[in-house]
Amino acid sequence: MYNEFRLRADNSDIKRKGKDVYREVLRPGVLAAVLLVSALTGAPPAPAQERREIELTAQEIVARVDRVLAYPRGQIKGRLMHILPDGASTVINLTGLIDESDFLFTFSTRNRGDEIRVLYNQGGEDIWVYSIHAQKLFRKMDVDKYDPLLGTNFSFIDFSNADYQANYNAVLTGDAVIKGLPAHRLRLDPIFRGGSYGRLTLYASKTDYVPLRIDFHDNDKVVFKSIAVAKTMERAGRIVPVRFDMLDLRRGTVSILEYFGFDESMRFDKTIFYHQRLGENG
C-alpha cells in the first residue's frame, strides 16, 4: 500500500516537472535558442558547397572541350588566310607533325617559301620558334606567347592547343544559343597572371561540346577578338574541327584557318621534336 502510494506520487511529480520544462521552452528567448540549434544541425548544404559543385561541372565541360580541340596524331595540312578590312588577303600554308604531346608546324608563303617552324612541347606549354631565313631560334615565354603568328589574328599560344582546363578556372554562368544551337556559357579566368588574355568566355555545344565560340578579353576584361568553330568532321570515331574563324575587333581583320589533309598513319622520330634540331635542313 505504501509502495503504491509512493509510485503514484512519483508519477505526479514527473508530470509536474514535464509541464514546467514545457513552459520553460515556450518562453520566447528559450524557444528561439532551440529553433536556432535545430536549424544549424539540420540545415541543408551551404551555398558555398553548391557553388563548388557547379565549378566542378564547369571543369568537366572544359575538359571535354579540350578533347574536341586536340590535334589528331600524324600529319595534318592546312591553310591560313588573313583578310584585311580593305579586302586584301595573305595566304599561309602549314604542315603539322603531331605526336602525343609534341607538335611541329612549318609555315610557308608563296613569295618566301618556308618561313618559320614552331615547336610545341609538353602539350603546347613550351613554345620554340625558328626563323628559317634569319636562322635564329627563339623561345616564346610569358607574354611573348601571345605575339601574332605571321601577322594574323592567331597568336602562337592559340596554335598550342594547351589545355584550357589546366590553365583556367572555369565557372558555368548560364546558357546561350549560338548559331541556333543550345550551348553552355562559361567564364574562364587564367590561373597564372601575366598573359594577354585576362578572361575567356566559352560557348560549348550542349550536345557534343564543340566550342562554338570563344571570346578573348584583355586584362581590362574587354573583348578584343573572337574565334568560332565554323566546320567539323568525324574521323576515327571523334569530332575534329576543320575550320576556325578568328575575328580581331580592334583591327577589323579576319583570319580563317582550315585543315584539309590528315594522315594518321604517319609516325616520326622523336628527335624531330627537340628544339636543338629546328635549324637542321634549313
Side-chain angles (χ1 to χ4, degrees):
M1 187 72 164
Y2 173 76
N3 291 336
E4 182 180 353
F5 175 79
R6 184 171 181 176
L7 179 61
R8 290 177 181 175
D10 290 343
N11 288 339
S12 298
D13 187 53
I14 291 172
K15 290 180 181 179
R16 185 177 67 254
K17 289 182 179 180
K19 290 180 180 180
D20 291 341
V21 170
Y22 181 72
R23 292 193 189 96
E24 182 67 19
V25 169
L26 290 180
R27 287 175 55 194
V30 176
L31 179 60
V34 171
L35 292 176
L36 178 61
V37 171
S38 176
L40 291 175
T41 57
Q49 181 178 343
E50 295 174 1
R51 287 196 298 271
R52 178 59 181 164
E53 290 175 356
I54 291 175
E55 291 171 4
L56 288 174
T57 302
Q59 292 297 123
E60 291 169 359
I61 293 173
V62 175
R64 296 190 181 193
V65 170
D66 283 333
R67 288 197 289 271
V68 171
L69 291 174
Y71 291 124
R73 295 183 67 175
Q75 183 188 68
I76 60 176
K77 292 185 177 182
R79 183 178 297 113
L80 177 58
M81 177 181 291
H82 184 63
I83 306 171
L84 301 176
D86 62 3
S89 62
T90 302
V91 175
I92 302 168
N93 295 307
L94 63 96
T95 300
L97 304 179
I98 312 299
D99 202 8
E100 184 176 2
S101 59
D102 300 300
F103 328 126
L104 175 60
F105 286 92
T106 301
F107 296 89
S108 61
T109 59
R110 182 176 180 180
N111 295 331
R112 294 173 58 84
D114 291 351
E115 291 203 37
I116 60 172
R117 296 191 183 107
V118 183
L119 173 64
Y120 297 97
N121 295 132
Q122 301 177 29
E125 298 291 344
D126 198 15
I127 305 175
W128 296 85
V129 179
Y130 180 75
S131 174
I132 296 173
H133 298 297
Q135 297 185 346
K136 290 184 178 180
L137 179 65
F138 305 91
R139 187 178 187 184
K140 294 291 184 179
M141 301 178 65
D142 303 324
V143 73
D144 292 339
K145 294 181 178 182
Y146 300 84
D147 290 342
L149 193 153
L150 294 178
T152 68
N153 295 342
F154 287 85
S155 67
F156 287 95
I157 200 168
D158 294 336
F159 261 93
S160 73
N161 262 6
D163 285 348
Y164 287 122
Q165 185 190 22
N167 291 281
Y168 291 87
N169 290 319
V171 177
L172 189 59
T173 59
D175 300 324
V177 176
I178 305 295
K179 300 177 184 177
L181 300 174
H184 299 289
R185 184 177 67 243
L186 300 99
R187 185 181 73 241
L188 276 61
D189 293 314
I191 296 175
F192 306 104
R193 304 293 176 177
S196 296
Y197 299 157
R199 173 174 294 169
L200 306 181
T201 301
L202 167 64
Y203 298 90
S205 168
K206 288 188 175 183
T207 56
D208 51 20
Y209 301 97
V210 170
L212 301 174
R213 195 178 86 208
I214 302 175
D215 295 333
F216 298 82
H217 304 242
D218 60 21
N219 287 306
D220 293 324
K221 306 302 185 290
V222 177
V223 176
F224 70 97
K225 73 176 185 178
S226 180
I227 189 171
V229 173
K231 186 178 179 181
T232 63
M233 66 183 300
E234 187 169 332
R235 294 189 65 86
R238 56 158 290 195
I239 295 174
V240 178
V242 293
R243 174 172 167 173
F244 299 84
D245 296 346
M246 179 81 85
L247 171 65
D248 189 310
L249 300 175
R250 294 170 178 169
R251 299 189 294 171
T253 54
V254 178
S255 293
I256 300 173
L257 171 63
E258 290 188 90
Y259 295 112
F260 52 78
F262 298 89
D263 184 358
E264 289 95 340
S265 65
M266 182 175 287
R267 294 294 180 265
F268 359 83
D269 186 344
K270 293 281 188 181
T271 60
I272 69 169
F273 300 111
Y274 295 169
H275 68 269
Q276 297 90 339
R277 294 193 57 185
L278 285 178
E280 295 182 6
N281 301 320

